Amino acid sequence: MGSERMEMRKRQMSTTQETPGAAQAPLSAGNRGSNACCFCWCCCCSCSCLTVRNQDEERARRTSHELQAEGIPNCEESPAPTLEEVNAWAQSFDKLMLTPAGRNAFREFLRTEFSEENMLFWMACEELKQESNKSVIEEKARLIYEDYISILSPKEVSLDSRVREVINRNMLEPSQHTFDDAQLQIYTLMHRDSYPRFMNSAIYKDLLQSLSEKSIEA
């Protein structure tokens, strides 16, 4: 009897010692499970940490976009367009692009279509053509390439492989005409693709209506 009592007491003591560890095990497992996505290789779609991570990435993208917007050059200085001038824009794309007011209005429209880089590239090429200093030409050509030709640029314009090859050859010795082929291709793209939509846009129609009403009042 004595030996049996001692055996039972040992078993009770052993059970009592194991109980705290057993009680802590589910708690540890529960803690680990609630943060499993932070430490293990698997992530579920409903994971709160994944949601936070996505929010951080979205915030970073928004900040990057705002910084890019700050770097966009201001519109060209020009007097307010006349009714006659705005009517002429509908006659041809060349007449629209001929005046600063026309380019500003068209550029405003391109911004709504997220393709303003086409106009910015075209304007940068026009500016390059006005340069005569070799060092300035080389620097501006490099900047144009980095801003609008490089595949790493967020403002990269759409060019075919042939034109890109021409540009890469021209960049070995930059000149005022390094981007002539590319400029023509982008000009044609804006003419065929964006210009018809601009003529039917609220930006153009509202401007035309406003000037027409002012003309009648005068």
Side-chain angles (χ1 to χ4, degrees):
M1 288 291 291
S3 61
E4 290 178 358
R5 287 179 180 175
M6 290 180 65
E7 185 65 23
M8 291 177 63
R9 190 172 299 167
K10 288 181 180 180
R11 289 179 181 176
Q12 289 174 354
M13 292 176 64
S14 175
T15 302
T16 303
Q17 292 174 352
E18 292 175 0
T19 300
Q24 291 176 1
L27 180 61
S28 299
N31 289 341
R32 185 167 60 252
S34 64
N35 294 315
C37 61
C38 299
F39 304 102
C40 71
W41 57 269
C42 60
C43 290
C44 60
C45 296
S46 59
C47 170
S48 60
C49 294
L50 183 60
T51 302
V52 172
R53 189 180 307 118
N54 288 340
Q55 289 174 346
D56 289 341
E57 291 174 354
E58 179 63 27
R59 192 178 299 111
R61 283 195 295 268
R62 191 182 304 115
T63 302
S64 176
H65 177 75
E66 290 170 356
L67 289 175
Q68 291 173 19
E70 291 176 0
I72 294 176
N74 295 325
C75 291
E76 298 174 81
E77 294 184 3
S78 69
T82 64
L83 176 60
E84 181 181 3
E85 186 178 0
V86 173
N87 277 319
W89 297 349
Q91 297 174 11
S92 72
F93 183 60
D94 291 339
K95 290 185 177 181
L96 170 68
M97 294 289 284
L98 190 62
T99 64
R103 292 192 293 270
N104 285 339
F106 187 52
R107 180 176 162 185
E108 181 183 354
F109 168 74
L110 293 178
R111 192 177 298 127
T112 67
E113 293 201 332
F114 305 100
S115 58
E116 186 184 13
E117 65 274 5
N118 289 334
M119 176 64 80
L120 295 177
F121 170 68
W122 184 88
M123 292 170 60
C125 292
E126 287 295 294
E127 184 178 332
L128 179 64
K129 291 177 181 178
Q130 308 303 317
E131 294 294 344
S132 57
N133 185 288
K134 184 177 180 181
S135 61
V136 174
I137 290 173
E138 291 178 351
E139 177 63 13
K140 287 193 173 183
R142 181 184 64 80
L143 292 175
I144 290 174
Y145 189 94
E146 291 178 356
D147 286 344
Y148 306 107
I149 309 301
S150 172
I151 60 174
L152 300 178
S153 173
K155 296 186 291 185
E156 177 195 6
V157 296
S158 179
L159 300 170
D160 61 36
S161 58
R162 180 192 66 81
V163 171
R164 286 185 174 276
E165 289 176 2
V166 170
I167 292 174
N168 289 334
R169 288 198 301 268
N170 291 343
M171 285 298 292
L172 297 175
E173 192 173 348
S175 72
Q176 299 100 318
H177 305 288
T178 294
F179 303 100
D180 280 4
D181 287 357
Q183 186 186 22
L184 177 59
Q185 189 168 100
I186 293 303
Y187 188 91
T188 302
L189 175 66
M190 291 190 294
H191 182 191
R192 295 178 178 177
D193 186 57
S194 303
Y195 173 63
R197 291 198 298 274
F198 168 71
M199 298 311 303
N200 291 315
S201 70
I203 291 177
Y204 176 73
K205 290 181 177 179
D206 289 350
L207 178 60
L208 184 62
Q209 181 179 354
S210 174
L211 291 175
S212 297
E213 291 175 351
K214 290 180 180 180
S215 177
I216 294 174
E217 292 174 358

